[in-house]
Amino acid sequence: MTPAKNDAVQVQFFADTSNLKMAVQQGQVDVAFRSLTPTDVEDFSKDSKLKVVKGPGGEERFIVFNMKIQPFGESQPDADPAKALAVRKAVANLIDREELATKVYKNTYTPMYSYIPDGLAGKVDTFKEKYGENGKPSVDKAKAELQKAGVSTPVDLKLQYNTDHYGSSSADEYAAIKNQLEQGGLFKVDLQSTEYTQYNKERVVTDDSDGSYPVYQLGWFPDYSDPDNYLSPFFRDGNFVNNGYANKQINDLIVQQAGEQDTAKREDMLKQIQELETDDLSTIPLLQGAQVAVTGKDISGVVLDASFRFRYAGVTKG
């Protein structure tokens, strides 16, 4: 085992990001990691006494469709699988991830065009291939999907988001998404926000409820650094999203890839799962969070990689 390059590291937790920002600027904290706001990171990058270190991040922000109560969903009086899918495809064609990453999150997040993030095996940018124009939104393609399915426009869409769990920038993020979806007059978006304790209960489909939010925000930070952790929790039967979605072919492939020891065969399965899910669109990935650390100029050895873990052993001062 490689020995640590420092004698000790003291870890302190801050409940309030403004207090963390002040401590960094005053030199009371040598390294700040996680939960920094985009505005804070931008301010730190202009401070000559500080360094901003970035690396690939495992955090994901995405949109979920409730398969029961989305427009034309399974439990709606006008239920129609083809029209429901056309609505999801139209949304996918209208999303502008670059705008969200640059204008809302000031590049602390990067556009995510796949279900598996950058840095992990099997990742393929299926959303660039199937929706919009090479990652850019396309009103024409969205309109064509709705027309082909016989969907009258504008489609009324209730879109739910949360700020006390997913960050205050969620308000700006979803205001931007509302504007994107209303381009071309294809959607009329009713944007709503709910406190997280209530939000997390009301979003799910259960045996007794079809849930309360037709389309809503969700976020994810991995339990472990592996592609499976971006598939099983979302699309396998009994998943944590609980949005009423099920696909036996995808479920079986997820089970198979988890036990496949041949790397090439597993990557083929991972790509197939992403391609199938990109056709189904039970969720739409939006952004992948970059890992960001802010350090003093005299700090070195901070490495942020696809393990998504902060490595204390290599950090030195002076």
Side-chain angles (χ1 to χ4, degrees), residues 83 87 106 110 156 199 230 250:
K83 288 183 177 181
V87 168
K106 304 181 189 302
T110 57
D156 288 326
Y199 185 93
Y230 293 88
I250 290 175

PDB file of all heavy atoms in Angstrom, residues 83 87 106 110 156 199 230 250:
ATOM      1  N   LYS A  83     -49.284   8.152 -28.378  1.00  0.00           N
ATOM      2  CA  LYS A  83     -49.282   9.590 -28.123  1.00  0.00           C
ATOM      3  C   LYS A  83     -48.409   9.923 -26.916  1.00  0.00           C
ATOM      4  O   LYS A  83     -47.699  10.938 -26.914  1.00  0.00           O
ATOM      5  CB  LYS A  83     -50.711  10.087 -27.904  1.00  0.00           C
ATOM      6  CG  LYS A  83     -51.552  10.108 -29.167  1.00  0.00           C
ATOM      7  CD  LYS A  83     -52.940  10.690 -28.910  1.00  0.00           C
ATOM      8  CE  LYS A  83     -53.747  10.767 -30.212  1.00  0.00           C
ATOM      9  NZ  LYS A  83     -55.096  11.350 -30.000  1.00  0.00           N
ATOM     10  N   VAL A  87     -45.129  12.436 -26.934  1.00  0.00           N
ATOM     11  CA  VAL A  87     -44.903  13.548 -26.011  1.00  0.00           C
ATOM     12  C   VAL A  87     -43.497  13.466 -25.438  1.00  0.00           C
ATOM     13  O   VAL A  87     -42.760  14.462 -25.387  1.00  0.00           O
ATOM     14  CB  VAL A  87     -45.957  13.539 -24.881  1.00  0.00           C
ATOM     15  CG1 VAL A  87     -45.556  14.506 -23.758  1.00  0.00           C
ATOM     16  CG2 VAL A  87     -47.329  13.927 -25.429  1.00  0.00           C
ATOM     17  N   LYS A 106     -23.016  27.359 -15.079  1.00  0.00           N
ATOM     18  CA  LYS A 106     -21.689  27.967 -15.289  1.00  0.00           C
ATOM     19  C   LYS A 106     -20.591  26.912 -15.402  1.00  0.00           C
ATOM     20  O   LYS A 106     -19.515  27.024 -14.820  1.00  0.00           O
ATOM     21  CB  LYS A 106     -21.388  28.968 -14.167  1.00  0.00           C
ATOM     22  CG  LYS A 106     -22.461  30.044 -14.022  1.00  0.00           C
ATOM     23  CD  LYS A 106     -22.136  31.040 -12.943  1.00  0.00           C
ATOM     24  CE  LYS A 106     -23.313  31.977 -12.676  1.00  0.00           C
ATOM     25  NZ  LYS A 106     -23.742  32.728 -13.858  1.00  0.00           N
ATOM     26  N   THR A 110     -21.944  19.354 -16.960  1.00  0.00           N
ATOM     27  CA  THR A 110     -21.732  19.213 -18.396  1.00  0.00           C
ATOM     28  C   THR A 110     -22.941  18.509 -19.003  1.00  0.00           C
ATOM     29  O   THR A 110     -23.627  17.735 -18.319  1.00  0.00           O
ATOM     30  CB  THR A 110     -20.460  18.397 -18.689  1.00  0.00           C
ATOM     31  OG1 THR A 110     -20.555  17.111 -18.064  1.00  0.00           O
ATOM     32  CG2 THR A 110     -19.227  19.119 -18.175  1.00  0.00           C
ATOM     33  N   ASP A 156     -50.668  20.421 -22.772  1.00  0.00           N
ATOM     34  CA  ASP A 156     -50.556  20.894 -21.380  1.00  0.00           C
ATOM     35  C   ASP A 156     -49.639  19.946 -20.608  1.00  0.00           C
ATOM     36  O   ASP A 156     -49.874  18.728 -20.576  1.00  0.00           O
ATOM     37  CB  ASP A 156     -51.931  20.940 -20.712  1.00  0.00           C
ATOM     38  CG  ASP A 156     -52.785  22.081 -21.246  1.00  0.00           C
ATOM     39  OD1 ASP A 156     -52.223  23.140 -21.570  1.00  0.00           O
ATOM     40  OD2 ASP A 156     -54.015  21.910 -21.350  1.00  0.00           O
ATOM     41  N   TYR A 199     -42.550  16.169  -1.667  1.00  0.00           N
ATOM     42  CA  TYR A 199     -42.189  15.856  -3.062  1.00  0.00           C
ATOM     43  C   TYR A 199     -41.809  14.393  -3.220  1.00  0.00           C
ATOM     44  O   TYR A 199     -42.284  13.699  -4.139  1.00  0.00           O
ATOM     45  CB  TYR A 199     -41.015  16.757  -3.446  1.00  0.00           C
ATOM     46  CG  TYR A 199     -40.532  16.716  -4.875  1.00  0.00           C
ATOM     47  CD1 TYR A 199     -41.025  17.613  -5.815  1.00  0.00           C
ATOM     48  CD2 TYR A 199     -39.550  15.820  -5.289  1.00  0.00           C
ATOM     49  CE1 TYR A 199     -40.566  17.622  -7.125  1.00  0.00           C
ATOM     50  CE2 TYR A 199     -39.082  15.815  -6.591  1.00  0.00           C
ATOM     51  CZ  TYR A 199     -39.598  16.715  -7.506  1.00  0.00           C
ATOM     52  OH  TYR A 199     -39.133  16.706  -8.799  1.00  0.00           O
ATOM     53  N   TYR A 230     -26.206   3.216 -12.677  1.00  0.00           N
ATOM     54  CA  TYR A 230     -27.003   4.179 -13.433  1.00  0.00           C
ATOM     55  C   TYR A 230     -28.111   3.489 -14.234  1.00  0.00           C
ATOM     56  O   TYR A 230     -28.843   4.150 -14.970  1.00  0.00           O
ATOM     57  CB  TYR A 230     -26.104   4.979 -14.376  1.00  0.00           C
ATOM     58  CG  TYR A 230     -25.148   5.879 -13.637  1.00  0.00           C
ATOM     59  CD1 TYR A 230     -23.913   5.409 -13.224  1.00  0.00           C
ATOM     60  CD2 TYR A 230     -25.502   7.194 -13.321  1.00  0.00           C
ATOM     61  CE1 TYR A 230     -23.040   6.225 -12.517  1.00  0.00           C
ATOM     62  CE2 TYR A 230     -24.636   8.009 -12.619  1.00  0.00           C
ATOM     63  CZ  TYR A 230     -23.405   7.521 -12.225  1.00  0.00           C
ATOM     64  OH  TYR A 230     -22.542   8.331 -11.514  1.00  0.00           O
ATOM     65  N   ILE A 250     -35.310  -4.950 -21.205  1.00  0.00           N
ATOM     66  CA  ILE A 250     -34.310  -4.130 -20.518  1.00  0.00           C
ATOM     67  C   ILE A 250     -33.997  -4.715 -19.150  1.00  0.00           C
ATOM     68  O   ILE A 250     -32.828  -4.800 -18.739  1.00  0.00           O
ATOM     69  CB  ILE A 250     -34.798  -2.671 -20.405  1.00  0.00           C
ATOM     70  CG1 ILE A 250     -34.791  -2.010 -21.797  1.00  0.00           C
ATOM     71  CG2 ILE A 250     -33.927  -1.869 -19.431  1.00  0.00           C
ATOM     72  CD1 ILE A 250     -35.355  -0.612 -21.829  1.00  0.00           C
TER      73      ILE A 250
END
